[in-house]
Amino acid sequence: RLCAAAAPNLSYQELKDLKKANVLHIDVRERWEIDRFGKIPESINIPLGELMEALQMDPTEFKEQYNQKMPSKSDPVVFSCLAGTRSKQALGFAMSLGFS
């Protein structure tokens, strides 16, 4: 399941189109889930339990930890998980930190 503020639910095709426009895709599944079910191409894995801390990191630290430029509060970000519950929580976390 995929969540973004503008459209709480996205289809696979909508995500593919968004990825062409440089959206940051954060997969909030646990690392064991990524190992077991596979990584989504061009996504970064930040398990939900780490997300609040990650989104408040120093940008240099974020880059070192996740090998990706830290999103600004106005950058387009999409969250995904297995069923949609965690990605909705992730969206709520991000919005509570001021992400639009």
Side-chain angles (χ1 to χ4, degrees):
R1 278 293 160 118
L2 308 162
C3 282
N9 290 298
L10 296 172
S11 70
Y12 176 71
Q13 189 56 51
E14 287 169 321
L15 177 64
K16 281 182 72 171
D17 293 343
L18 277 174
K19 283 184 166 236
K20 291 177 194 158
N22 270 342
V23 68
L24 177 62
H25 180 180
I26 299 176
D27 186 338
V28 295
R29 293 177 298 161
E30 296 299 317
R31 289 189 175 84
W32 70 264
E33 291 176 280
I34 306 290
D35 292 342
R36 184 168 176 188
F37 302 113
K39 183 181 187 305
I40 299 167
E42 294 163 35
S43 69
I44 63 169
N45 175 229
I46 305 176
L48 186 62
E50 290 176 25
L51 186 67
M52 283 292 276
E53 185 182 341
L55 293 177
Q56 298 176 81
M57 280 180 171
D58 173 79
T60 308
E61 192 182 345
F62 186 96
K63 177 102 169 98
E64 285 171 10
Q65 175 100 16
Y66 300 108
N67 200 29
Q68 175 76 42
K69 181 181 171 285
M70 184 170 177
S72 76
K73 293 198 181 339
S74 60
D75 285 344
V77 178
V78 171
F79 298 101
S80 67
C81 63
L82 195 60
T85 304
R86 288 173 289 180
S87 57
K88 280 191 178 68
Q89 283 182 281
L91 178 61
F93 288 166
M95 292 176 81
S96 76
L97 292 171
F99 283 80
S100 55

